[in-house]
Amino acid sequence: FGLKGLRILGRCPLAARGVIMQAKPAPFRSLDMTYREFVRQHNSKFDIQKQNPINRDSVRCGALAYKQGMTTIFTKWGQGLPCTVLQMDRVQVTMVKTAEKYGYDNLQLGVGEMKMKRAKKPQIGHLLKHNLLQSRHLKEFPITPENALPLGYILTPLHFKLGQFVDCKAISKGKGFCGVMKRWNFKGQPATHGVSLAHRSPGSIGQCEFPGKVFKGKKMAGNMGNESACHWSSKVLKYDLEKSLLYVKGPVPGPARGLVWIRDSLKKVDKQWRFLDYPTCTNVDDYPDQDFLPMEEEDPFESGWHDNSIKMGRNQDEDDDYWVDESIADVDLKDE
């Protein structure tokens, strides 16, 4: 992805009709360069210093990603952790909005890649002016002034730390027109005893002459899905810098290859605001290409005590057969 020349047709503040515009080549990744090396080389021109948060109200920028699907990560104890794979495809700061100029502090991020012929002319002018990548999706995130990032900076999965909680927001899958049993989890009508052809119907939806109407907000059949949905407090389990992947525990709304908004969890602010990297992770070279959340030191499936042992008052360290109940072990199976 690099810009060398672009022909603009129609009205454009940067060039007349039919004039070929020569632009400075945008950040380009050669075939013999890994993605991590490309990001390191591109971000080396920015001088970002790590800062301490002012208070719990300090807000960092979020990130954009594409949902790639779900998988399972197994721990050394054999415990399966279902997780969703999110790819942060060249997440770049495309615009910095300050309170002095716009009245609020926001960062506009771009993700993905789009053909130049599909871009709007104002967007092309902004792209050529600031030498930015042509992003497929653009979204804004509110921030506090001390967490602003420079224009053109590329975010990596290390923006989110292992073990922290994030909120994942996306447009849910559209289910079409659904009945009340699927849409609102209604019980439905009995299968027999006088019910005819109304087993999945909602039943009564109102009262009598008073109030003489159906109240607004009544749960009824209608279109389900295809609306904004958020999965709160998903834990970050793993990252992959070479493929720019982020693994979060549990499901994420939306279909595969759908756009996902990621931000620091709003419900876990008091628990993690002191341990995050503000405004973002600056020492990327100190981290390996892949890393996983540290495992538990004790086996989660081994409680250390068995129900039979608790009833018998026996200690695990006293007997190797602590899980065997003597009253059951003495039973002779031949008598049965």
Side-chain angles (χ1 to χ4, degrees):
F1 41 90
L3 295 179
K4 295 183 179 180
L6 179 65
R7 180 176 294 274
I8 303 294
L9 299 179
R11 295 183 179 180
C12 181
L14 300 181
R17 179 184 298 268
V19 177
I20 298 179
M21 298 174 52
Q22 297 295 334
K24 182 181 177 181
F28 182 76
R29 174 187 173 188
S30 60
L31 298 179
D32 56 347
M33 180 187 301
T34 62
Y35 181 77
R36 181 173 184 176
E37 294 175 353
F38 159 72
V39 175
R40 183 190 299 112
Q41 178 181 351
H42 177 73
N43 291 340
S44 60
K45 58 184 178 180
F46 302 105
D47 185 15
I48 301 178
Q49 302 297 331
K50 185 177 180 180
Q51 303 176 1
N52 294 326
I54 299 178
N55 49 35
R56 67 179 303 276
D57 297 330
S58 183
V59 180
R60 302 193 312 157
C61 178
L64 297 174
Y66 292 113
K67 178 181 176 180
Q68 299 299 326
M70 294 195 67
T71 184
T72 303
I73 298 178
F74 290 93
T75 64
K76 63 179 180 180
W77 304 110
Q79 181 183 12
L81 301 177
C83 60
T84 304
V85 184
L86 304 175
Q87 185 177 25
M88 298 174 57
D89 183 14
R90 291 161 288 182
V91 181
Q92 189 179 31
V93 180
T94 57
M95 184 179 294
V96 180
K97 295 187 176 181
T98 59
E100 292 77 10
K101 184 176 181 181
Y102 294 92
Y104 55 91
D105 294 289
N106 271 16
L107 282 184
Q108 185 189 77
L109 301 182
V111 63
E113 183 182 3
M114 182 174 61
K115 294 182 179 179
M116 295 297 300
K117 66 178 182 179
R118 297 183 179 179
K120 305 297 183 181
K121 292 180 182 178
Q123 186 177 356
I124 294 176
H126 179 74
L127 168 70
L128 297 178
K129 180 180 179 181
H130 300 285
N131 190 28
L132 301 173
L133 303 176
Q134 178 57 43
S135 301
R136 183 175 181 86
H137 295 96
L138 300 173
K139 299 296 178 182
E140 291 188 8
F141 290 87
I143 60 170
T144 49
E146 68 275 5
N147 293 318
L149 294 173
L151 187 65
Y153 187 83
I154 296 180
L155 295 176
T156 64
L158 288 177
H159 183 68
F160 304 101
K161 302 187 68 173
L162 292 177
Q164 85 160 92
F165 295 91
V166 296
D167 296 336
C168 299
K169 180 182 177 182
I171 303 298
S172 61
K173 295 181 180 179
K175 304 294 183 180
F177 193 93
C178 298
V180 292
M181 295 185 66
K182 180 176 181 179
R183 190 184 185 192
W184 302 111
N185 198 24
F186 277 22
K187 179 181 179 181
Q189 307 300 324
T192 56
H193 297 285
V195 178
S196 300
L197 304 179
H199 306 286
R200 300 180 65 88
S201 63
S204 175
I205 61 173
Q207 291 75 39
C208 196
E209 183 179 0
F210 177 81
K213 64 177 181 179
V214 178
F215 289 102
K216 293 182 179 180
K218 178 66 178 177
K219 294 181 179 179
M220 302 178 68
N223 290 323
M224 179 179 177
N226 194 24
E227 59 184 1
S228 179
C230 181
H231 191 272
W232 303 85
S233 304
S234 300
K235 181 180 289 188
V236 178
L237 298 180
K238 180 182 177 182
Y239 70 83
D240 188 341
L241 293 180
E242 184 54 40
K243 299 180 181 179
S244 191
L245 300 178
L246 189 70
Y247 296 74
V248 296
K249 185 178 180 180
V252 170
R257 296 176 296 278
L259 182 64
V260 180
W261 294 260
I262 311 174
R263 67 185 179 191
D264 298 332
S265 178
L266 298 180
K267 297 183 178 180
K268 303 289 185 179
V269 175
D270 294 330
K271 184 176 181 179
Q272 65 183 16
W273 70 272
R274 294 182 178 89
F275 310 102
L276 302 180
D277 294 328
Y278 293 87
T280 185
C281 181
T282 56
N283 54 343
V284 181
D285 297 337
D286 298 339
Y287 292 87
D289 291 340
Q290 296 183 11
D291 199 3
F292 184 79
L293 184 67
M295 305 287 183
E296 299 180 0
E297 297 297 335
E298 298 181 359
D299 189 351
F301 299 103
E302 184 62 50
S303 60
W305 292 91
H306 195 271
D307 294 341
N308 296 334
S309 301
I310 296 177
K311 294 178 182 179
M312 296 162 52
R314 302 175 65 178
N315 193 340
Q316 174 182 353
D317 299 332
E318 296 177 358
D319 193 352
D320 294 338
D321 299 331
Y322 68 95
W323 58 84
V324 180
D325 193 343
E326 293 180 353
S327 60
I328 301 177
D330 295 340
V331 175
D332 190 359
L333 298 179
K334 296 182 180 180
D335 297 342
E336 300 181 358

